[in-house]
Amino acid sequence: MSAVHRRNSVRGRVLHDEPLAAHTSWRVGGPADRYFEPADREDLLAFIASLPARETITWLGLGSNLLVRDGGVRGTVICLHGALDGLAAAGDDEIYAEAGVHCARLAKYAQTRHRAGLGFMAGIPGTVGGALAMNAGAWGGETWPQVVAVEVVYRDARAEWLAPGDFHTGYRHVEAPAGVLGFLGARFRVGADERGEHERLTREWLTQRKATQPVGKPSAGSTFRNPPGDYAARLIESCGLKGERIGGAEVSALHANFIVTETGAKAADVEALIQRVRDLVRDRTGFDLQPEVRIVGVPA
Ligand SMILES: Cc1cc2nc3c(=O)[nH]c(=O)nc-3n(C[C@H](O)[C@H](O)[C@H](O)COP(=O)(O)OP(=O)(O)OC[C@H]3O[C@@H](n4cnc5c(N)ncnc54)[C@H](O)[C@@H]3O)c2cc1C
């Protein structure tokens, strides 16, 4: 982390040449030209308004679905985790969460109020903003079916509440209306969990996750989307690719759709391994796996 300075009227932290390896779950990736952590929502809006119109902006939550290339990211990276962390119940049927809230915290908040519907988020190691951008899901649950309304920000720093119907959403896919820059937060629908059935299921899901995923090793969860009618993990395993390595990146021996890294790994190792897996699976099975992880930045 290098020079810290404040822009006029902006209260958050602006860092230059901030290494993004420290902000991604793969623990790889080069620096951001500028890296901003707002003090709160108003601070974020003031910062966006202060940026030159042509500045490139990249959003970052917990970096749990991001491969940042070794040359880093040009322009400004805005990180909301730990900044926009407001959480509030709105009656019995809705919970409001700001975009920087950890998904597990949102799930726990609902659970302690005996509300059902957000338990699938308990094991997702990302933020609400990332979940909205990815339509994150697990165990049959998905982010967008729970959304009542979402607050977005435009490039001119105007904020607005939109309805889910304004977006095209699908499996790990979200298309926002033209001009939307990013998510500030959302109101989520929850139901009653009177007999604690949802809470019991959530605990079961977490136990299964620990048993089937390499949770202790740096990864970005599922590397590839499941193709229609099949599973990426099954296809990769059927090609004998568990344990396949390039540099410090390896196809997990526990879950074939996870790529894990070791200390000293480069983003280039991960990207090359993604490409090798894609090529071999395409040659041997005919399926062209599509990455679920987002790849950003420039090579070293
Ligand atoms: C061990 C492990 C298990 C996982 N399990 C699951 C799982 O079960 N289900 C699942 O769906 N995913 C899973 N993931 C992947 C990941 O956690 C999710 O995709 C998560 O939603 C990403 O959130 P994030 O905050 O880390 O986003 P990031 O990785 O920081 O960003 C992901 C994308 O969202 C964009 N983004 C982030 N915040 C905003 C914002 N406020 N406005 C606009 N765009 C934004 C970023 O620019 C980027 O394009 C797993 C990952 C790991 C490491």
Side-chain angles (χ1 to χ4, degrees):
M1 205 178 288
S2 61
V4 180
H5 73 79
R6 292 175 192 283
R7 283 164 181 258
N8 285 347
S9 78
V10 168
R11 289 169 287 121
R13 294 199 307 164
V14 181
L15 308 172
H16 293 276
D17 299 322
E18 170 67 0
L20 293 176
H23 301 278
T24 63
S25 58
W26 255 323
R27 298 280 171 246
V28 298
D33 286 349
R34 271 166 304 283
Y35 172 90
F36 178 60
E37 283 177 6
D40 53 31
R41 181 183 170 285
E42 297 317 310
D43 193 40
L44 170 64
L45 298 182
F47 178 78
I48 291 173
S50 79
L51 289 175
R54 298 176 70 173
E55 180 78 351
T56 306
I57 295 174
T58 303
W59 296 96
L60 177 68
L62 274 152
S64 64
N65 204 55
L66 266 191
L67 179 61
V68 177
R69 292 193 173 105
D70 299 308
V73 177
R74 302 291 77 84
T76 297
V77 170
I78 300 180
C79 178
L80 298 189
H81 179 239
L84 269 70
D85 62 353
L87 206 46
D92 275 350
D93 305 331
E94 284 183 22
I95 293 176
Y96 165 70
E98 282 190 314
V101 170
H102 197 302
C103 288
R105 192 172 148 235
L106 172 56
K108 190 76 191 166
Y109 185 83
Q111 186 180 304
T112 53
R113 278 158 187 78
H114 310 292
R115 301 287 99 194
L118 297 176
F120 74 91
M121 284 199 180
I124 296 180
T127 60
V128 165
L132 288 166
M134 296 302 307
N135 193 16
W139 310 108
E142 267 187 347
T143 302
W144 277 85
Q146 301 304 127
V147 171
V148 177
V150 65
E151 193 182 22
V152 300
V153 59
Y154 296 94
R155 188 59 187 81
D156 61 2
R158 190 167 45 89
E160 186 180 22
W161 282 93
L162 297 177
D166 295 323
F167 295 76
H168 291 292
T169 62
Y171 166 61
R172 305 295 176 268
H173 173 80
V174 179
E175 225 177 290
V180 167
L181 180 66
F183 298 108
L184 298 178
R187 284 165 35 216
F188 293 97
R189 181 179 303 104
V190 286
D193 185 23
E194 275 150 14
R195 281 183 305 217
E197 181 59 12
H198 192 70
E199 186 176 341
R200 191 190 60 74
L201 269 175
T202 303
R203 272 201 302 272
E204 217 171 278
W205 293 334
L206 286 174
T207 306
Q208 281 199 42
R209 191 179 277 271
K210 278 188 194 134
T212 56
Q213 298 181 358
V215 280
K217 293 190 177 174
S219 80
S222 293
T223 312
F224 298 98
R225 300 153 59 90
N226 288 322
D230 215 324
Y231 292 96
R234 195 199 69 77
L235 291 164
I236 297 166
E237 190 169 353
S238 76
C239 294
L241 293 173
K242 273 186 166 178
E244 184 79 4
R245 283 187 78 96
I246 293 184
E250 180 182 322
V251 175
S252 165
L254 192 58
H255 190 308
N257 200 17
F258 278 48
I259 288 179
V260 294
T261 54
E262 61 186 32
T263 309
K266 299 273 177 224
D269 299 338
V270 178
E271 196 170 0
L273 189 54
I274 289 174
Q275 194 55 50
R276 180 180 293 172
V277 170
R278 271 188 88 171
D279 290 344
L280 291 174
V281 170
R282 193 190 313 105
D283 290 351
R284 294 175 191 172
T285 72
F287 280 95
D288 185 14
L289 294 179
Q290 299 301 314
E292 177 172 321
V293 295
R294 301 249 175 113
I295 303 177
V296 298
V298 295

CSV table of all heavy atoms in Angstrom, one decimal, residues 67-95:
chain,number,residue,atom,x,y,z
A,67,LEU,N,-10.3,-12.8,-11.0
A,67,LEU,CA,-8.9,-13.0,-11.4
A,67,LEU,C,-8.3,-11.7,-11.9
A,67,LEU,O,-8.7,-11.2,-12.9
A,67,LEU,CB,-8.7,-14.1,-12.4
A,67,LEU,CG,-7.3,-14.4,-12.8
A,67,LEU,CD1,-6.5,-14.9,-11.6
A,67,LEU,CD2,-7.2,-15.5,-13.9
A,68,VAL,N,-7.5,-11.1,-11.1
A,68,VAL,CA,-6.8,-9.8,-11.5
A,68,VAL,C,-5.5,-10.2,-12.1
A,68,VAL,O,-4.6,-10.8,-11.5
A,68,VAL,CB,-6.6,-8.9,-10.3
A,68,VAL,CG1,-5.9,-7.6,-10.7
A,68,VAL,CG2,-7.9,-8.5,-9.6
A,69,ARG,N,-5.3,-9.8,-13.4
A,69,ARG,CA,-4.0,-10.1,-14.0
A,69,ARG,C,-2.8,-9.5,-13.3
A,69,ARG,O,-3.0,-8.5,-12.6
A,69,ARG,CB,-4.1,-9.7,-15.5
A,69,ARG,CG,-5.1,-10.6,-16.3
A,69,ARG,CD,-4.9,-10.4,-17.8
A,69,ARG,NE,-5.7,-11.3,-18.6
A,69,ARG,CZ,-6.8,-10.9,-19.2
A,69,ARG,NH1,-7.2,-9.7,-19.2
A,69,ARG,NH2,-7.5,-11.8,-20.0
A,70,ASP,N,-1.6,-10.0,-13.6
A,70,ASP,CA,-0.4,-9.6,-12.9
A,70,ASP,C,0.0,-8.1,-13.1
A,70,ASP,O,0.7,-7.5,-12.3
A,70,ASP,CB,0.7,-10.5,-13.2
A,70,ASP,CG,0.4,-12.0,-12.8
A,70,ASP,OD1,0.0,-12.2,-11.6
A,70,ASP,OD2,0.5,-12.9,-13.7
A,71,GLY,N,-0.4,-7.6,-14.3
A,71,GLY,CA,-0.1,-6.2,-14.6
A,71,GLY,C,-1.0,-5.2,-13.9
A,71,GLY,O,-0.8,-4.0,-13.9
A,72,GLY,N,-2.1,-5.7,-13.2
A,72,GLY,CA,-3.0,-4.8,-12.5
A,72,GLY,C,-4.1,-4.2,-13.3
A,72,GLY,O,-4.3,-4.6,-14.4
A,73,VAL,N,-4.7,-3.3,-12.6
A,73,VAL,CA,-6.0,-2.7,-13.2
A,73,VAL,C,-5.7,-1.2,-13.4
A,73,VAL,O,-5.4,-0.5,-12.4
A,73,VAL,CB,-7.2,-2.9,-12.3
A,73,VAL,CG1,-8.4,-2.2,-12.8
A,73,VAL,CG2,-7.4,-4.4,-12.1
A,74,ARG,N,-5.9,-0.7,-14.6
A,74,ARG,CA,-5.8,0.7,-14.9
A,74,ARG,C,-7.1,1.4,-14.4
A,74,ARG,O,-8.2,0.9,-14.4
A,74,ARG,CB,-5.6,1.0,-16.4
A,74,ARG,CG,-4.4,0.3,-17.0
A,74,ARG,CD,-3.0,0.9,-16.5
A,74,ARG,NE,-2.7,0.4,-15.1
A,74,ARG,CZ,-2.1,-0.7,-14.8
A,74,ARG,NH1,-1.7,-1.5,-15.8
A,74,ARG,NH2,-1.8,-1.0,-13.6
A,75,GLY,N,-6.9,2.7,-14.1
A,75,GLY,CA,-8.1,3.5,-13.6
A,75,GLY,C,-8.3,3.3,-12.1
A,75,GLY,O,-7.4,3.1,-11.4
A,76,THR,N,-9.6,3.4,-11.7
A,76,THR,CA,-9.9,3.3,-10.3
A,76,THR,C,-10.7,2.1,-9.9
A,76,THR,O,-11.6,1.7,-10.5
A,76,THR,CB,-10.7,4.6,-9.9
A,76,THR,OG1,-10.0,5.8,-10.2
A,76,THR,CG2,-11.2,4.6,-8.5
A,77,VAL,N,-10.2,1.5,-8.8
A,77,VAL,CA,-10.9,0.3,-8.3
A,77,VAL,C,-11.6,0.8,-7.0
A,77,VAL,O,-11.0,1.5,-6.1
A,77,VAL,CB,-9.9,-0.8,-7.9
A,77,VAL,CG1,-10.6,-1.9,-7.1
A,77,VAL,CG2,-9.4,-1.4,-9.2
A,78,ILE,N,-12.9,0.6,-6.9
A,78,ILE,CA,-13.7,1.0,-5.7
A,78,ILE,C,-14.1,-0.3,-5.0
A,78,ILE,O,-14.7,-1.2,-5.5
A,78,ILE,CB,-15.0,1.8,-6.1
A,78,ILE,CG1,-14.6,3.0,-6.9
A,78,ILE,CG2,-15.8,2.1,-4.9
A,78,ILE,CD1,-15.8,3.9,-7.4
A,79,CYS,N,-13.6,-0.3,-3.7
A,79,CYS,CA,-13.9,-1.5,-2.9
A,79,CYS,C,-15.0,-1.1,-1.8
A,79,CYS,O,-14.8,-0.2,-1.0
A,79,CYS,CB,-12.6,-1.9,-2.2
A,79,CYS,SG,-12.9,-3.3,-1.1
A,80,LEU,N,-16.1,-1.8,-1.8
A,80,LEU,CA,-17.2,-1.5,-0.8
A,80,LEU,C,-17.2,-2.3,0.4
A,80,LEU,O,-17.8,-2.0,1.4
A,80,LEU,CB,-18.5,-1.6,-1.5
A,80,LEU,CG,-18.8,-0.7,-2.7
A,80,LEU,CD1,-20.2,-0.8,-3.2
A,80,LEU,CD2,-18.4,0.7,-2.4
A,81,HIS,N,-16.4,-3.4,0.4
A,81,HIS,CA,-16.4,-4.3,1.6
A,81,HIS,C,-15.9,-3.5,2.8
A,81,HIS,O,-14.8,-2.9,2.8
A,81,HIS,CB,-15.6,-5.5,1.4
A,81,HIS,CG,-15.7,-6.4,2.7
A,81,HIS,ND1,-14.5,-6.8,3.3
A,81,HIS,CD2,-16.7,-6.9,3.3
A,81,HIS,CE1,-14.9,-7.5,4.4
A,81,HIS,NE2,-16.2,-7.6,4.4
A,82,GLY,N,-16.6,-3.6,3.9
A,82,GLY,CA,-16.2,-2.9,5.1
A,82,GLY,C,-16.6,-1.4,5.1
A,82,GLY,O,-16.4,-0.7,6.1
A,83,ALA,N,-17.1,-0.9,4.0
A,83,ALA,CA,-17.5,0.5,3.9
A,83,ALA,C,-19.0,0.6,3.9
A,83,ALA,O,-19.6,1.2,4.9
A,83,ALA,CB,-16.9,1.1,2.6
A,84,LEU,N,-19.6,0.1,2.9
A,84,LEU,CA,-21.1,0.2,2.9
A,84,LEU,C,-21.6,-1.0,3.6
A,84,LEU,O,-22.0,-2.0,2.9
A,84,LEU,CB,-21.6,0.3,1.4
A,84,LEU,CG,-21.8,1.7,0.9
A,84,LEU,CD1,-20.4,2.4,0.7
A,84,LEU,CD2,-22.6,1.8,-0.4
A,85,ASP,N,-21.7,-1.0,4.9
A,85,ASP,CA,-22.0,-2.2,5.6
A,85,ASP,C,-23.3,-2.1,6.5
A,85,ASP,O,-23.5,-2.8,7.5
A,85,ASP,CB,-20.8,-2.6,6.5
A,85,ASP,CG,-20.5,-1.5,7.6
A,85,ASP,OD1,-21.2,-0.4,7.5
A,85,ASP,OD2,-19.7,-1.7,8.4
A,86,GLY,N,-24.3,-1.3,6.0
A,86,GLY,CA,-25.5,-1.1,6.7
A,86,GLY,C,-26.5,-2.3,6.5
A,86,GLY,O,-26.5,-2.9,5.4
A,87,LEU,N,-27.2,-2.7,7.5
A,87,LEU,CA,-28.1,-3.8,7.5
A,87,LEU,C,-29.3,-3.5,8.4
A,87,LEU,O,-29.1,-3.0,9.5
A,87,LEU,CB,-27.3,-5.0,8.1
A,87,LEU,CG,-27.6,-6.4,7.8
A,87,LEU,CD1,-27.8,-6.7,6.3
A,87,LEU,CD2,-26.5,-7.3,8.3
A,88,ALA,N,-30.5,-3.6,7.8
A,88,ALA,CA,-31.7,-3.3,8.6
A,88,ALA,C,-32.9,-4.1,8.2
A,88,ALA,O,-33.0,-4.4,7.1
A,88,ALA,CB,-32.0,-1.8,8.5
A,89,ALA,N,-33.7,-4.5,9.2
A,89,ALA,CA,-35.0,-5.2,8.9
A,89,ALA,C,-36.0,-4.1,8.6
A,89,ALA,O,-36.1,-3.1,9.3
A,89,ALA,CB,-35.4,-6.0,10.1
A,90,ALA,N,-36.8,-4.4,7.5
A,90,ALA,CA,-37.9,-3.5,7.2
A,90,ALA,C,-39.2,-4.3,7.4
A,90,ALA,O,-39.6,-5.1,6.5
A,90,ALA,CB,-37.8,-3.0,5.8
A,91,GLY,N,-39.7,-4.3,8.6
A,91,GLY,CA,-40.9,-5.1,9.0
A,91,GLY,C,-40.4,-6.6,9.0
A,91,GLY,O,-39.2,-6.9,9.2
A,92,ASP,N,-41.4,-7.5,8.8
A,92,ASP,CA,-41.1,-9.0,8.9
A,92,ASP,C,-40.7,-9.5,7.6
A,92,ASP,O,-40.1,-10.6,7.5
A,92,ASP,CB,-42.4,-9.7,9.4
A,92,ASP,CG,-42.4,-9.7,10.9
A,92,ASP,OD1,-41.5,-9.3,11.5
A,92,ASP,OD2,-43.5,-10.1,11.4
A,93,ASP,N,-41.0,-8.8,6.5
A,93,ASP,CA,-40.9,-9.4,5.2
A,93,ASP,C,-39.7,-9.0,4.4
A,93,ASP,O,-39.4,-9.5,3.3
A,93,ASP,CB,-42.1,-9.1,4.3
A,93,ASP,CG,-43.4,-9.6,5.0
A,93,ASP,OD1,-43.3,-10.5,5.8
A,93,ASP,OD2,-44.4,-8.9,4.8
A,94,GLU,N,-38.9,-8.0,4.8
A,94,GLU,CA,-37.8,-7.5,4.0
A,94,GLU,C,-36.6,-7.2,4.9
A,94,GLU,O,-36.7,-6.8,6.1
A,94,GLU,CB,-38.2,-6.2,3.3
A,94,GLU,CG,-39.1,-6.4,2.2
A,94,GLU,CD,-39.4,-5.1,1.5
A,94,GLU,OE1,-38.7,-4.1,1.6
A,94,GLU,OE2,-40.5,-5.0,0.8
A,95,ILE,N,-35.4,-7.4,4.3
A,95,ILE,CA,-34.2,-6.9,4.9
A,95,ILE,C,-33.4,-6.1,3.9
A,95,ILE,O,-33.3,-6.5,2.7
A,95,ILE,CB,-33.3,-8.2,5.4
A,95,ILE,CG1,-34.0,-8.9,6.5
A,95,ILE,CG2,-31.9,-7.7,5.8
A,95,ILE,CD1,-33.3,-10.2,6.9
